[in-house]
Amino acid sequence: MALTRVNGNLISSGTITGNLFNNNTITGDKIASATIGSSNLTTTGVSAGNYGSASNIPVITVGTDGRVTYAANVATATVDVNNITGNVNISGNVKAQTYQETFSNVSIASGNITCNLASATIFKTVVTSAANVIFTSPPPNLTGFSFLIQLSQTGSYALTWPASIQWPLNTAPTLSTTAGYVDTIALYTIDGGSNYYATSVLGQF
């Protein structure tokens, strides 16, 4: 006998199971509208409701029969754009209305002026004695990085620069020797600090 219609109220719970149906015996076009309702379907355990919002990302799993078998909300991460620590890599162009750089006062310690390139891009030192200029924590190779050093003079003191600095005509600039004068040196590196290319941009004023 051909089976043409099965009403939900004719199927006792567990009386007819999936393994009693021949493949394709009952297809979608043979099920009348509303003949099998949600009350006849086995629950998937997914709670009814809306998933996803401005602060949540919906995570949904769909089974091979097309039914939703899992749904949950995952909170989106909040990023404080005013306080980002670490490196930020951006693909594409950045157009800023204004921007600020980090400034660091560096004192002479143990005869050294140590500029930590991971902490600032503008350094200021009051030159109170002869000193060695040292750069630490440069960025990785093939990363462009530029910075400034402002030297406030208090007298005639010699500074020893790193051998890795490449000066115009291989000659370091002559710095001010008058107390109160300021010299500014601009530098950049593109090879992880193996070489620094430098020039005096402001001097003796």
Side-chain angles (χ1 to χ4, degrees):
M1 179 179 69
L3 182 60
T4 59
R5 179 167 178 168
V6 178
N7 292 318
N9 59 4
L10 297 180
I11 302 176
S12 301
S13 177
T15 300
I16 299 179
T17 58
N19 60 8
L20 296 180
F21 290 92
N22 292 325
N23 187 36
N24 293 327
T25 299
I26 298 180
T27 57
D29 60 343
K30 295 179 181 179
I31 300 176
S33 176
T35 298
I36 298 179
S38 59
S39 61
N40 302 109
L41 300 176
T42 303
T43 179
T44 62
V46 178
S47 299
N50 295 320
Y51 292 88
S53 66
S55 58
N56 289 286
I57 298 174
V59 178
I60 297 173
T61 301
V62 179
T64 56
D65 59 357
R67 300 179 68 194
V68 176
T69 58
Y70 176 84
N73 284 316
V74 176
T76 56
T78 300
V79 177
D80 182 1
V81 295
N82 296 312
N83 186 25
I84 298 176
T85 301
N87 298 325
V88 177
N89 296 319
I90 299 176
S91 177
N93 298 322
V94 176
K95 182 178 181 180
Q97 183 175 358
T98 63
Y99 79 99
Q100 299 176 347
E101 297 185 62
T102 303
F103 167 81
S104 176
N105 270 310
V106 180
S107 299
I108 297 177
S110 301
N112 296 322
I113 299 172
T114 303
C115 299
N116 181 357
L117 303 186
S119 66
T121 54
I122 300 176
F123 302 89
K124 178 182 178 181
T125 295
V126 177
V127 183
T128 56
S129 66
N132 301 305
V133 180
I134 299 174
F135 305 138
T136 63
S137 302
N141 185 34
L142 301 180
T143 299
F145 182 82
S146 60
F147 58 104
L148 298 174
I149 302 176
Q150 185 186 86
L151 303 167
S152 296
Q153 307 295 340
T154 63
S156 181
Y157 299 109
L159 296 182
T160 301
W161 297 94
S164 56
I165 291 184
Q166 310 298 322
W167 298 103
L169 302 178
N170 295 319
T171 303
T174 300
L175 301 178
S176 306
T177 59
T178 303
Y181 277 33
V182 174
D183 296 286
T184 300
I185 308 298
L187 307 95
Y188 74 92
T189 180
I190 57 175
D191 54 14
S194 294
N195 293 280
Y196 294 93
Y197 301 90
T199 188
S200 174
V201 292
L202 294 172
Q204 301 185 15
F205 73 91

